[in-house]
Amino acid sequence: MIRFLIKRTAQAAVVLLLVSVIVFVLLHQLPGGPARAILGPKATPQAVEHFNHQQGYDRSLPLQYVKYLGRLLTGDLGESYKLNQTVSSLLADRLPKTLVLTGLAIALAAVLAIPLGILQAVRRGRAADYLLTGMAFLAYATPVFFLGLVLILVFSQRLQLFPAEAPQADTVGGILGDLPGLVLPVVTMALGVIAAFSRYMRSAVLDNLGEEYVRTARAKGQSSARIMARHVLRNALIPLATLLGLYLPTLFSGALVVESMFNYPGMGLLFWNAAQGSDFPVLLGVTLVVGVATVIGSLITDIAYAVLDPRIRSVS
């Protein structure tokens, strides 16, 4: 297991290095270069030259990258020229709030998707399976922004059960203290995830129900509930663990839309406002953080995969 962890961690470190290279290249692909993009099209050549010298953009690209990497290792992601704050401080304030939103959405999706997937598998070909399958396809195919609008129209405007605006507290504790305000954003994010997870769970359970070890357990007189809990469920969770790691970029894109719709003060709304204001340091900082989160999510997925299926360790 130790050897497996070291190998996967080393691979993740290489990927993180490549992510930093990609973000560095994007920085130099900005229209007119970083100086012109940040200072604006009306900046004088003297101002651009001074900015390039001050920031080190007049040096060779390898030297610039080494300096850029050193800044990243110290947590320096640049400064927002629109908000007059460091990108690191902005992300430190917004990232925990986005983690709360996505964490609650994933937790809700897992709590509902796992039993729904099992129910579809054990009721395969029956009315419950067809009904849940149709609902899953509908939820998965519906855009996130449309789901949010429908939920706002029904539960906020018509029934007036929940507010249409997300909590506006400055702290995570304050956001968690306003649970009614979290309901619509969390459900909007979770619906598509529930649909995807339940379908994968259904397929995984069906595959395992046809395995030899299940027939052996039945021949020994074990009940269906015991077989499902002790044998099938553990193996069926493996594809779900893989899917969760690969779903991180999708969750962020969903958070971007949901946070913009419900005015939720997270990283998605920060990215949206930065895009509207051409605040490139913030855009690149968020892109870097999402890339790092994706790599770390994949690493956690590999570890979970190995824990759930010890055979993975022997072949990795």
Side-chain angles (χ1 to χ4, degrees), residues 127-138:
D129 182 27
Y130 291 129
L131 177 62
L132 291 174
T133 297
M135 293 173 63
F137 282 143
L138 180 62

Side-chain angles (χ1 to χ4, degrees), residues 43-74:
T44 64
Q46 293 79 9
V48 171
E49 183 179 357
H50 176 72
F51 182 87
N52 284 333
H53 180 72
Q54 187 181 38
Q55 299 295 325
Y57 292 135
D58 54 352
R59 300 179 183 179
S60 64
L61 287 179
L63 287 177
Q64 288 187 49
Y65 176 71
V66 171
K67 182 180 178 181
Y68 172 75
L69 188 60
R71 286 165 42 200
L72 289 183
L73 293 176
T74 60

Side-chain angles (χ1 to χ4, degrees), residues 15 37 40 65 96 108 117 150-151 221 224 232 239 244 253 271 314:
V15 175
Y65 176 71
L108 178 63
V150 171
L151 292 178
S224 298
V232 174
L244 180 59
S253 63
F271 187 89
S314 61

Side-chain angles (χ1 to χ4, degrees), residues 213-271:
Y213 72 88
V214 173
R215 290 192 288 268
T216 302
R218 285 173 176 165
K220 291 181 178 180
Q222 295 186 18
S223 65
S224 298
R226 183 180 178 86
I227 294 172
M228 183 66 68
R230 295 195 60 181
H231 303 290
V232 174
L233 186 58
R234 179 186 179 93
N235 293 323
L237 286 174
I238 295 176
L240 201 62
T242 305
L243 183 66
L244 180 59
L246 298 176
Y247 230 73
L248 283 176
T250 305
L251 285 173
F252 173 74
S253 63
L256 193 155
V257 176
V258 170
E259 289 181 10
S260 301
M261 289 185 61
F262 293 95
N263 196 31
Y264 183 83
M267 202 165 63
L269 183 61
L270 176 67
F271 187 89

